[in-house]
Amino acid sequence: TNALPSPLPLMKTSKEEVPSWYYASKGKQKGPATETYLQEEIDRGEITIDTLVWRKGMPSWKKIKHTPMIEKMRKRPKFATLASASVRLSKVSPRPNKPSRSMTNKSR
């Protein structure tokens, strides 16, 4: 018989998980994806806990860190490292502007 190969899954899924999350990445809406897939994307640095996500039943898009999904992510060993790096980066102030000429040329 000429059996066709089964199609490759677009995103990893487990038997227990149903892809239900949509997310914004690089200016595009992606999904549906499972929580496990989103966790793996965070581990790879492709998205962060500040990435916007949505699924059926939510009134609007929210950052991952403002969803129930974050509690599961906090239990992952790699999460502590990623979260602390994210906090450190968010506290870095932007590079200051060069002083204007009027500020450097003091009148005497």
Side-chain angles (χ1 to χ4, degrees):
T1 63
N2 290 339
L4 295 174
S6 58
L8 296 173
L10 294 176
M11 297 185 181
K12 292 181 183 178
T13 61
S14 69
K15 291 180 182 178
E16 302 87 37
E17 282 188 288
V18 175
S20 62
W21 289 96
Y22 292 85
Y23 64 104
S25 178
K26 299 177 184 172
K28 295 182 180 180
Q29 177 181 312
K30 298 187 177 184
T34 63
E35 285 184 20
T36 300
Y37 180 82
L38 293 176
Q39 290 170 0
E40 291 169 353
E41 288 289 276
I42 287 174
D43 290 348
R44 285 190 288 275
E46 295 295 320
I47 63 173
T48 70
I49 59 173
D50 289 319
T51 296
L52 293 172
V53 294
W54 178 87
R55 69 176 174 183
K56 188 176 178 180
M58 291 175 60
S60 61
W61 290 74
K62 291 184 177 184
K63 293 180 179 183
I64 290 174
K65 67 182 176 185
H66 297 301
T67 67
M69 181 185 342
I70 196 68
E71 294 307 317
K72 292 177 188 173
M73 290 183 177
R74 284 190 172 126
K75 294 175 183 172
R76 294 170 55 92
K78 197 167 186 176
F79 180 82
T81 305
L82 294 168
S84 63
S86 175
V87 169
R88 283 194 308 273
L89 289 174
S90 68
K91 290 183 179 180
V92 174
S93 60
R95 183 176 167 198
N97 295 328
K98 289 182 180 179
S100 66
R101 287 188 169 202
S102 63
M103 293 174 73
T104 58
N105 294 334
K106 295 181 182 177
S107 57
R108 294 184 186 189

PDB file of all heavy atoms in Angstrom, residues 23-41:
ATOM      1  N   TYR A  23       0.172  33.926  20.808  1.00  0.00           N
ATOM      2  CA  TYR A  23       1.158  34.842  21.372  1.00  0.00           C
ATOM      3  C   TYR A  23       1.718  35.758  20.294  1.00  0.00           C
ATOM      4  O   TYR A  23       1.622  35.459  19.103  1.00  0.00           O
ATOM      5  CB  TYR A  23       2.275  34.070  22.079  1.00  0.00           C
ATOM      6  CG  TYR A  23       3.118  33.184  21.195  1.00  0.00           C
ATOM      7  CD1 TYR A  23       4.400  33.563  20.812  1.00  0.00           C
ATOM      8  CD2 TYR A  23       2.651  31.950  20.753  1.00  0.00           C
ATOM      9  CE1 TYR A  23       5.185  32.744  20.016  1.00  0.00           C
ATOM     10  CE2 TYR A  23       3.424  31.136  19.956  1.00  0.00           C
ATOM     11  CZ  TYR A  23       4.690  31.535  19.583  1.00  0.00           C
ATOM     12  OH  TYR A  23       5.456  30.724  18.787  1.00  0.00           O
ATOM     13  N   ALA A  24       2.254  36.883  20.735  1.00  0.00           N
ATOM     14  CA  ALA A  24       2.851  37.851  19.820  1.00  0.00           C
ATOM     15  C   ALA A  24       4.358  37.666  19.847  1.00  0.00           C
ATOM     16  O   ALA A  24       4.960  37.616  20.917  1.00  0.00           O
ATOM     17  CB  ALA A  24       2.482  39.265  20.246  1.00  0.00           C
ATOM     18  N   SER A  25       4.959  37.539  18.680  1.00  0.00           N
ATOM     19  CA  SER A  25       6.404  37.376  18.591  1.00  0.00           C
ATOM     20  C   SER A  25       6.905  38.039  17.320  1.00  0.00           C
ATOM     21  O   SER A  25       6.397  37.740  16.234  1.00  0.00           O
ATOM     22  CB  SER A  25       6.773  35.895  18.605  1.00  0.00           C
ATOM     23  OG  SER A  25       8.166  35.724  18.468  1.00  0.00           O
ATOM     24  N   LYS A  26       7.858  38.935  17.472  1.00  0.00           N
ATOM     25  CA  LYS A  26       8.480  39.621  16.333  1.00  0.00           C
ATOM     26  C   LYS A  26       7.431  40.298  15.458  1.00  0.00           C
ATOM     27  O   LYS A  26       7.487  40.235  14.237  1.00  0.00           O
ATOM     28  CB  LYS A  26       9.339  38.650  15.539  1.00  0.00           C
ATOM     29  CG  LYS A  26      10.473  38.071  16.371  1.00  0.00           C
ATOM     30  CD  LYS A  26      11.289  37.057  15.624  1.00  0.00           C
ATOM     31  CE  LYS A  26      12.337  36.476  16.571  1.00  0.00           C
ATOM     32  NZ  LYS A  26      13.054  35.367  16.028  1.00  0.00           N
ATOM     33  N   GLY A  27       6.450  40.913  16.110  1.00  0.00           N
ATOM     34  CA  GLY A  27       5.435  41.674  15.398  1.00  0.00           C
ATOM     35  C   GLY A  27       4.347  40.860  14.739  1.00  0.00           C
ATOM     36  O   GLY A  27       3.535  41.394  13.990  1.00  0.00           O
ATOM     37  N   LYS A  28       4.312  39.559  15.012  1.00  0.00           N
ATOM     38  CA  LYS A  28       3.300  38.698  14.397  1.00  0.00           C
ATOM     39  C   LYS A  28       2.559  37.899  15.458  1.00  0.00           C
ATOM     40  O   LYS A  28       3.114  37.555  16.489  1.00  0.00           O
ATOM     41  CB  LYS A  28       3.947  37.727  13.409  1.00  0.00           C
ATOM     42  CG  LYS A  28       4.573  38.406  12.229  1.00  0.00           C
ATOM     43  CD  LYS A  28       5.146  37.391  11.269  1.00  0.00           C
ATOM     44  CE  LYS A  28       5.775  38.103  10.091  1.00  0.00           C
ATOM     45  NZ  LYS A  28       6.350  37.170   9.133  1.00  0.00           N
ATOM     46  N   GLN A  29       1.297  37.583  15.166  1.00  0.00           N
ATOM     47  CA  GLN A  29       0.523  36.701  16.026  1.00  0.00           C
ATOM     48  C   GLN A  29       0.852  35.272  15.646  1.00  0.00           C
ATOM     49  O   GLN A  29       0.867  34.926  14.465  1.00  0.00           O
ATOM     50  CB  GLN A  29      -0.966  36.963  15.832  1.00  0.00           C
ATOM     51  CG  GLN A  29      -1.837  36.028  16.648  1.00  0.00           C
ATOM     52  CD  GLN A  29      -3.312  36.290  16.427  1.00  0.00           C
ATOM     53  OE1 GLN A  29      -3.757  37.418  16.472  1.00  0.00           O
ATOM     54  NE2 GLN A  29      -4.062  35.232  16.169  1.00  0.00           N
ATOM     55  N   LYS A  30       1.145  34.458  16.641  1.00  0.00           N
ATOM     56  CA  LYS A  30       1.479  33.056  16.398  1.00  0.00           C
ATOM     57  C   LYS A  30       0.600  32.170  17.264  1.00  0.00           C
ATOM     58  O   LYS A  30       0.065  32.595  18.258  1.00  0.00           O
ATOM     59  CB  LYS A  30       2.951  32.802  16.692  1.00  0.00           C
ATOM     60  CG  LYS A  30       3.883  33.607  15.787  1.00  0.00           C
ATOM     61  CD  LYS A  30       5.306  33.224  15.981  1.00  0.00           C
ATOM     62  CE  LYS A  30       6.185  34.004  15.016  1.00  0.00           C
ATOM     63  NZ  LYS A  30       7.573  33.589  15.098  1.00  0.00           N
ATOM     64  N   GLY A  31       0.513  30.895  16.899  1.00  0.00           N
ATOM     65  CA  GLY A  31      -0.258  29.949  17.675  1.00  0.00           C
ATOM     66  C   GLY A  31      -1.294  29.266  16.815  1.00  0.00           C
ATOM     67  O   GLY A  31      -1.375  29.521  15.620  1.00  0.00           O
ATOM     68  N   PRO A  32      -2.072  28.406  17.413  1.00  0.00           N
ATOM     69  CA  PRO A  32      -2.108  28.128  18.853  1.00  0.00           C
ATOM     70  C   PRO A  32      -0.920  27.281  19.304  1.00  0.00           C
ATOM     71  O   PRO A  32      -0.347  26.524  18.527  1.00  0.00           O
ATOM     72  CB  PRO A  32      -3.423  27.372  19.036  1.00  0.00           C
ATOM     73  CG  PRO A  32      -3.660  26.694  17.722  1.00  0.00           C
ATOM     74  CD  PRO A  32      -3.070  27.611  16.682  1.00  0.00           C
ATOM     75  N   ALA A  33      -0.567  27.455  20.570  1.00  0.00           N
ATOM     76  CA  ALA A  33       0.554  26.734  21.159  1.00  0.00           C
ATOM     77  C   ALA A  33       0.159  26.244  22.546  1.00  0.00           C
ATOM     78  O   ALA A  33      -0.772  26.757  23.159  1.00  0.00           O
ATOM     79  CB  ALA A  33       1.767  27.660  21.272  1.00  0.00           C
ATOM     80  N   THR A  34       0.885  25.265  23.030  1.00  0.00           N
ATOM     81  CA  THR A  34       0.655  24.754  24.382  1.00  0.00           C
ATOM     82  C   THR A  34       1.481  25.569  25.381  1.00  0.00           C
ATOM     83  O   THR A  34       2.424  26.272  25.004  1.00  0.00           O
ATOM     84  CB  THR A  34       1.078  23.279  24.498  1.00  0.00           C
ATOM     85  OG1 THR A  34       2.487  23.202  24.256  1.00  0.00           O
ATOM     86  CG2 THR A  34       0.326  22.391  23.532  1.00  0.00           C
ATOM     87  N   GLU A  35       1.153  25.436  26.656  1.00  0.00           N
ATOM     88  CA  GLU A  35       1.956  26.075  27.701  1.00  0.00           C
ATOM     89  C   GLU A  35       3.385  25.538  27.667  1.00  0.00           C
ATOM     90  O   GLU A  35       4.344  26.290  27.846  1.00  0.00           O
ATOM     91  CB  GLU A  35       1.339  25.848  29.075  1.00  0.00           C
ATOM     92  CG  GLU A  35       0.110  26.689  29.314  1.00  0.00           C
ATOM     93  CD  GLU A  35      -0.453  26.552  30.718  1.00  0.00           C
ATOM     94  OE1 GLU A  35       0.277  26.116  31.633  1.00  0.00           O
ATOM     95  OE2 GLU A  35      -1.631  26.894  30.898  1.00  0.00           O
ATOM     96  N   THR A  36       3.521  24.242  27.434  1.00  0.00           N
ATOM     97  CA  THR A  36       4.854  23.637  27.370  1.00  0.00           C
ATOM     98  C   THR A  36       5.677  24.275  26.258  1.00  0.00           C
ATOM     99  O   THR A  36       6.843  24.610  26.450  1.00  0.00           O
ATOM    100  CB  THR A  36       4.753  22.115  27.148  1.00  0.00           C
ATOM    101  OG1 THR A  36       4.035  21.544  28.246  1.00  0.00           O
ATOM    102  CG2 THR A  36       6.120  21.470  27.030  1.00  0.00           C
ATOM    103  N   TYR A  37       5.066  24.479  25.097  1.00  0.00           N
ATOM    104  CA  TYR A  37       5.776  25.100  23.987  1.00  0.00           C
ATOM    105  C   TYR A  37       6.204  26.517  24.353  1.00  0.00           C
ATOM    106  O   TYR A  37       7.336  26.920  24.082  1.00  0.00           O
ATOM    107  CB  TYR A  37       4.899  25.115  22.730  1.00  0.00           C
ATOM    108  CG  TYR A  37       5.593  25.737  21.550  1.00  0.00           C
ATOM    109  CD1 TYR A  37       6.479  24.999  20.781  1.00  0.00           C
ATOM    110  CD2 TYR A  37       5.377  27.074  21.217  1.00  0.00           C
ATOM    111  CE1 TYR A  37       7.143  25.572  19.705  1.00  0.00           C
ATOM    112  CE2 TYR A  37       6.032  27.643  20.149  1.00  0.00           C
ATOM    113  CZ  TYR A  37       6.909  26.896  19.397  1.00  0.00           C
ATOM    114  OH  TYR A  37       7.565  27.471  18.341  1.00  0.00           O
ATOM    115  N   LEU A  38       5.316  27.273  24.998  1.00  0.00           N
ATOM    116  CA  LEU A  38       5.664  28.643  25.388  1.00  0.00           C
ATOM    117  C   LEU A  38       6.800  28.646  26.410  1.00  0.00           C
ATOM    118  O   LEU A  38       7.703  29.482  26.345  1.00  0.00           O
ATOM    119  CB  LEU A  38       4.431  29.374  25.936  1.00  0.00           C
ATOM    120  CG  LEU A  38       3.329  29.643  24.906  1.00  0.00           C
ATOM    121  CD1 LEU A  38       2.119  30.270  25.577  1.00  0.00           C
ATOM    122  CD2 LEU A  38       3.827  30.503  23.766  1.00  0.00           C
ATOM    123  N   GLN A  39       6.789  27.687  27.324  1.00  0.00           N
ATOM    124  CA  GLN A  39       7.882  27.572  28.290  1.00  0.00           C
ATOM    125  C   GLN A  39       9.200  27.297  27.579  1.00  0.00           C
ATOM    126  O   GLN A  39      10.236  27.860  27.918  1.00  0.00           O
ATOM    127  CB  GLN A  39       7.581  26.462  29.299  1.00  0.00           C
ATOM    128  CG  GLN A  39       6.454  26.814  30.237  1.00  0.00           C
ATOM    129  CD  GLN A  39       5.995  25.624  31.078  1.00  0.00           C
ATOM    130  OE1 GLN A  39       6.519  24.526  30.972  1.00  0.00           O
ATOM    131  NE2 GLN A  39       4.999  25.849  31.907  1.00  0.00           N
ATOM    132  N   GLU A  40       9.159  26.434  26.578  1.00  0.00           N
ATOM    133  CA  GLU A  40      10.371  26.121  25.812  1.00  0.00           C
ATOM    134  C   GLU A  40      10.860  27.338  25.032  1.00  0.00           C
ATOM    135  O   GLU A  40      12.063  27.566  24.917  1.00  0.00           O
ATOM    136  CB  GLU A  40      10.111  24.945  24.870  1.00  0.00           C
ATOM    137  CG  GLU A  40       9.911  23.639  25.606  1.00  0.00           C
ATOM    138  CD  GLU A  40       9.384  22.516  24.728  1.00  0.00           C
ATOM    139  OE1 GLU A  40       9.041  22.765  23.540  1.00  0.00           O
ATOM    140  OE2 GLU A  40       9.302  21.387  25.227  1.00  0.00           O
ATOM    141  N   GLU A  41       9.936  28.137  24.526  1.00  0.00           N
ATOM    142  CA  GLU A  41      10.313  29.357  23.809  1.00  0.00           C
ATOM    143  C   GLU A  41      10.983  30.353  24.763  1.00  0.00           C
ATOM    144  O   GLU A  41      11.928  31.038  24.379  1.00  0.00           O
ATOM    145  CB  GLU A  41       9.085  30.009  23.155  1.00  0.00           C
ATOM    146  CG  GLU A  41       8.558  29.246  21.957  1.00  0.00           C
ATOM    147  CD  GLU A  41       9.485  29.360  20.762  1.00  0.00           C
ATOM    148  OE1 GLU A  41       9.406  30.345  20.019  1.00  0.00           O
ATOM    149  OE2 GLU A  41      10.310  28.432  20.578  1.00  0.00           O
TER     150      GLU A  41
END
